[in-house]
Amino acid sequence: MSIALADEIRIDSESDIVVARKLVRDTATSLGFGLTDVTRIVTAASELTRNIYIYAGSGIMRCRPVASDARRGVELVFEDKGPGIADISKAMTPGYTTSRGMGMGLPGSKRLMDEMDLKSAVGQGTTVVVRKWLHK
Amino acid sequence: MKTSQKPSNRSGQNAAPGNEAASAYNRSLIEASLDAMVTIGPDGRITDVNGATESVTGRSRTELIGTDFSGYFTEPAKAAAGYQRVFRDGQVRDYPLEIRHSDGHVTSVLYNASVYKDAEGKVIGVFAAARDITERKEAEALLAKASAYTRSLIEASIDPLVTIGPDGKVTDINAATEIATGYPRSELIGTDFAGYFTDPAKARAGYQQVFRDGQVRDYPLEMRHPSGKVTSVLFNASVYKDAEGKVIGVFAAARDITERKESEARIKQQANEILELSTPVMQVWKGVVVAPLIGSLDSSRTQQFMERLLSRIVETNSPVALVDIMGVPTIDTQTAQHLIEAISAVKLLGSQVVLTGVRPAIAQTLVHLGVNLSDISTRSSLAAGLQVAFTKLELEVVKKSQPGRAETKP
Amino acid sequence: MTAENISVISLRNLLLVTVPPDPDDETISALQQKILESMARHDARGLVLDISTVQTLDSFFARTVMETVQMVALMGGRTVLAGMRADVAVTATQLGLSIGATQTALDVDRAFDLLQGEIQGGRTA
Ligand SMILES: Nc1ncnc2c1ncn2[C@@H]1O[C@H](COP(=O)(O)OP(=O)(O)O)[C@@H](O)[C@H]1O
Ligand SMILES: [Mg+2]
């Protein structure tokens, strides 16, 4: 299996969300994900990059193929140095929002992906890592 | 180097006889010996031999005495150096030489020799005994061949093989290990065994277990190649001991199970394909698909069912989908939730689900679970569901014999 | 994709708006603006939103669509979402999005049938 370098995208503006979606779509498609899974992964990426833009103002997204245990998949990392999340379990509750959003971005992304890790410290920033595996 | 100088103060054990009786006794011992024995004078000439010397050289006692000792060896210079050393140092141990027989064949021997002295303590000659080591040499050659054979077997093994010292450092490896780790032998030996795995702590725990329990079987680890490639392996390892039975290390063999894992993944995929076959979505009429669900529904199966149902609805452009759950033995909250999800996804497409085959037991369970199906049209039978579909599509089922009269079954 | 590229077609008393495949937030907002202006200009009674090429329906997009549906309703129009792709529908459902009582149709054709039937039947919002 080939090891590609992680692609990194800066999220500074709304239009970067589209760029991120495109990169994720291309990566997931080339890894062999089916259309519905590609749409799931891209939609999660759209939610999580928008969170960076709305809540932190700016940050980065990294997208890379991963392999472990004869499984292959894709990993997306969303990192910002924004205000952080005080109550993570609240933020993960469907419908909870501090911005008149639908409050579905975090809980929904978790459901669309196979794995999600959320680390956040108030005043320091937030890192969300999501992964999806092929032929799960 | 002169031979007779610096007489050693060590006395030769096989010193020349002191009195007649002792002398006769010694002589018989010497003759009985299987080792070829010789005495050599300071000038390098043979002064006496035993029977074994006669047979190993193929020459008689009388022929031998008075001739140059070194003349009976494949390497005369080495033979001369040997007895000269005895005169100088008082003795030699295990000095290797090859005696040439008169018929040409050669016997490998080890000489043990020492000086012998007269009553005044003056060195008068060298007493040398040769031990035939042909057999031992053959055994050694055999052993060397055997171990070369074992080594080549080890090298030929497609399984990475490693020996590990008590400190956890690699002490030896084979070629397969070089390939799996991507490092040459010279770089691997002496380094930490655990460092070549994705989970070093687990690797360490593995060989520690071997030192503790004597062995491990099918210990799973992942070897990491510098390219980033990971090889899934199962380790079988046991301790090995020195001659005294002391544990000196671990011998570990790794079996690459990447292929096995891949075939497991293939089997899983095949199972998925069979699953797909077991949840067919059929177009029964223009604009109507039917999806009978049979067997128990877990999350992944419902998920796949939902994807198939939706894409078939789009493909066939069907405004109505009949989902028949007659063949579902039991239903739990989670499954019901998945079904409701599928139904709302169908609604997003612009199509409508009619849930059919709702048996009494399932209806009771759904109500007891508090599942709200009020927004969903449900019918007890597939036939009743078809009727709903036809109504929705503004179709009428008409009996051929009575044209124009609608067969209405609410 | 800018607001100028959004096509809004007026047919009798209905509007047909085609949403681009991967719109950015600005385009989505511009779309809403343009729909509402057209509703007023053509005195339209219904809106068909053709989303058959839309690849990603995230919560921001869904919220804007829902708001637009409500605004159109306040202006006396009914909206039908037409042609959502199967993979997008599965994803939107799993994400947890709901579109409330908004009507849907498999394609633009059926959406027009639906709206015309309702408007002729006198059942307006
Ligand atoms: N990167 C982030 N930095 C700070 N807060 C965040 C971040 N992402 C999410 N949050 C918080 O978590 C809440 C829930 O996020 P989400 O589930 O995406 O819903 P929404 O964005 O619609 O509010 C947000 O309202 C916000 O308070
Ligand atoms: Mg959000």
Side-chain angles (χ1 to χ4, degrees):
Chain A
M1 63 208 77
S2 70
I3 301 297
L5 290 172
D7 279 303
E8 192 172 301
I9 284 186
R10 280 213 64 80
I11 310 295
D12 295 310
S13 70
E14 284 177 333
S15 57
D16 292 330
I17 299 171
V18 181
V19 178
R21 282 205 295 252
K22 178 151 177 33
L23 168 69
V24 172
R25 179 175 299 279
D26 291 347
T27 308
T29 305
S30 70
L31 283 172
F33 281 101
L35 178 60
T36 309
D37 274 342
V38 169
T39 305
R40 287 186 175 106
I41 299 164
V42 171
T43 305
S46 188
E47 293 292 342
L48 298 170
T49 48
R50 193 184 312 282
N51 281 355
I52 291 180
Y53 172 68
I54 294 177
Y55 303 110
S58 68
I60 53 166
M61 182 196 78
R62 277 193 296 274
C63 172
R64 66 176 188 119
V66 281
S68 123
D69 232 25
R71 289 190 304 177
R72 294 186 307 128
V74 68
E75 181 185 86
L76 308 176
V77 179
F78 304 84
E79 214 174 273
D80 66 59
K81 304 221 178 316
I85 302 172
D87 188 339
I88 289 179
S89 72
K90 228 183 198 173
M92 289 299 297
T93 308
Y96 174 82
T97 179
T98 57
S99 71
R100 286 183 55 248
M102 293 181 102
M104 299 310 298
L106 290 176
S109 297
K110 189 179 165 120
R111 298 213 298 157
L112 293 174
M113 303 297 285
D114 292 328
E115 291 166 23
M116 172 156 141
D117 297 318
L118 198 166
K119 286 195 185 70
S120 189
V122 173
Q124 286 177 37
T126 303
T127 303
V128 183
V129 181
V130 291
R131 273 175 226 105
K132 195 158 191 81
W133 302 106
L134 279 156
H135 323 291
K136 221 201 93 188
Chain B
M1 192 181 310
K2 273 327 294 159
T3 54
S4 53
Q5 297 159 350
K6 289 202 281 172
S8 165
N9 52 10
R10 273 195 209 107
S11 64
Q13 312 140 277
N14 297 296
N19 59 55
E20 290 304 308
S23 165
Y25 178 70
N26 280 348
R27 183 79 226 169
S28 68
L29 268 189
I30 287 167
E31 283 303 326
S33 171
L34 290 174
D35 293 345
M37 294 176 176
V38 201
T39 54
I40 311 159
D43 55 358
R45 290 186 194 282
I46 295 171
T47 51
D48 200 1
V49 298
N50 68 348
T53 305
E54 290 182 296
S55 45
V56 77
T57 57
R59 291 175 178 88
S60 71
R61 194 179 152 81
T62 46
E63 273 178 279
L64 289 165
I65 290 175
T67 60
D68 191 11
F69 170 76
S70 54
Y72 302 100
F73 297 89
T74 55
E75 290 175 87
K78 189 175 170 194
Y83 71 74
Q84 284 161 9
R85 190 191 304 171
V86 185
F87 279 115
R88 192 181 69 233
D89 301 344
Q91 63 169 29
V92 295
R93 289 266 160 272
D94 293 334
Y95 192 87
L97 282 172
E98 289 177 338
I99 299 173
R100 198 199 309 276
H101 193 274
S102 56
D103 68 9
H105 95 258
V106 166
T107 308
S108 296
V109 294
L110 287 183
Y111 266 101
N112 284 295
S114 53
V115 290
Y116 68 91
K117 301 166 184 175
D118 63 13
E120 283 87 51
K122 184 173 166 283
V123 172
I124 51 172
V126 162
F127 178 85
R131 167 132 313 163
D132 183 347
I133 56 161
T134 315
E135 251 171 55
R136 194 212 288 184
K137 270 211 155 171
E138 276 167 4
E140 269 174 8
L142 219 62
L143 209 67
K145 228 161 111 186
S147 82
Y149 177 69
T150 314
R151 182 81 220 167
S152 68
L153 269 187
I154 288 172
E155 286 301 328
S157 165
I158 55 165
D159 292 341
L161 306 175
V162 188
T163 57
I164 311 158
D167 56 356
K169 302 258 189 264
V170 174
T171 50
D172 198 3
I173 57 128
N174 70 343
T177 308
E178 294 181 308
I179 295 165
T181 59
Y183 293 104
R185 206 183 150 73
S186 57
E187 277 179 46
L188 283 163
I189 290 175
T191 60
D192 196 12
F193 170 75
Y196 300 97
F197 298 89
T198 55
D199 189 345
K202 190 172 169 199
R204 206 165 296 125
Y207 71 69
Q208 283 165 355
Q209 188 181 330
V210 185
F211 279 115
R212 196 180 58 238
D213 302 345
Q215 63 167 36
V216 295
R217 290 273 160 269
D218 293 336
Y219 192 87
L221 283 173
E222 290 182 338
M223 285 185 125
R224 200 188 40 214
H225 194 272
S227 73
K229 188 187 155 194
V230 167
T231 312
S232 299
V233 293
L234 289 182
F235 264 101
N236 283 294
S238 53
V239 290
Y240 66 93
K241 301 170 182 177
D242 64 11
E244 281 91 56
K246 189 171 157 278
V247 171
I248 49 174
V250 163
F251 179 83
R255 168 128 311 161
D256 182 345
I257 54 161
T258 314
E259 234 170 74
R260 192 206 290 182
K261 285 214 159 171
E262 275 166 5
S263 76
E264 276 170 7
R266 258 200 306 282
I267 288 165
K268 235 188 217 162
Q269 196 189 332
Q270 277 163 358
N272 278 341
E273 279 160 14
I274 290 164
L275 198 72
E276 272 181 25
L277 291 176
S278 71
T279 52
V281 181
M282 302 166 285
Q283 185 179 25
V284 293
W285 198 269
K286 192 169 177 294
V288 186
V289 291
V290 172
L293 275 173
I294 294 158
S296 56
L297 296 174
D298 60 12
S299 290
S300 83
R301 195 165 167 229
T302 325
Q303 188 87 51
Q304 283 197 335
F305 164 70
M306 166 150 96
E307 286 177 33
R308 279 176 53 67
L309 176 65
L310 266 76
S311 53
R312 286 292 283 158
I313 288 172
V314 170
E315 274 163 35
T316 58
N317 201 5
S318 297
V320 184
L322 304 176
V323 175
D324 188 78
I325 58 168
M326 185 67 101
V328 177
T330 55
I331 206 159
D332 58 14
T333 333
Q334 180 126 19
T335 312
Q337 214 49 57
H338 281 306
L339 267 179
I340 289 169
E341 239 176 61
I343 290 164
S344 36
V346 169
K347 162 128 204 305
L348 286 178
L349 295 183
S351 182
Q352 188 202 338
V353 167
V354 180
L355 203 59
T356 69
V358 184
R359 292 180 294 114
I362 298 277
Q364 282 171 325
T365 317
L366 288 176
V367 171
H368 287 148
L369 288 172
V371 176
N372 180 14
L373 293 172
S374 60
D375 297 343
I376 296 157
S377 15
T378 56
R379 288 294 182 273
S380 59
S381 72
L382 191 57
L386 264 175
Q387 193 62 52
V388 175
F390 289 149
T391 309
K392 191 172 161 59
L393 296 172
E394 294 167 351
L395 291 170
E396 275 186 325
V397 181
V398 172
K399 253 192 189 159
K400 250 190 172 171
S401 53
Q402 292 163 283
R405 276 196 56 191
E407 184 102 355
T408 41
K409 272 189 225 158
Chain C
M1 179 59 65
T2 61
E4 285 72 50
N5 300 335
I6 301 164
S7 99
V8 177
I9 295 167
S10 164
L11 274 169
R12 302 199 184 174
N13 51 1
L14 300 178
L15 289 183
L16 170 61
V17 176
T18 305
V19 181
D22 197 13
D24 60 17
D25 298 3
E26 208 180 318
T27 309
I28 293 170
S29 304
L31 194 77
Q32 185 182 73
Q33 189 64 30
K34 198 153 179 179
I35 287 169
L36 297 178
E37 282 165 13
S38 306
M39 282 298 292
R41 186 173 327 124
H42 301 286
D43 195 18
R45 307 289 300 281
L47 165 68
V48 175
L49 259 186
D50 178 7
I51 53 169
S52 59
T53 65
V54 169
Q55 297 176 314
T56 321
L57 182 60
D58 64 7
S59 62
F60 176 82
F61 193 1
R63 193 184 69 183
T64 314
V65 169
M66 291 304 294
E67 282 173 1
T68 310
V69 170
Q70 286 168 24
M71 293 165 189
V72 167
L74 286 172
M75 297 176 73
R78 298 185 72 104
T79 304
V80 177
L81 290 181
M84 189 184 297
R85 284 175 13 177
D87 56 299
V88 174
V90 170
T91 301
T93 309
Q94 205 178 352
L95 184 64
L97 303 182
S98 81
I99 56 157
T102 311
Q103 287 184 295
T104 51
L106 283 165
D107 53 31
V108 170
D109 241 33
R110 288 178 193 270
F112 268 101
D113 286 350
L114 190 69
L115 282 177
Q116 254 162 356
E118 284 182 357
I119 291 164
Q120 271 153 29
R123 292 175 292 152
T124 50

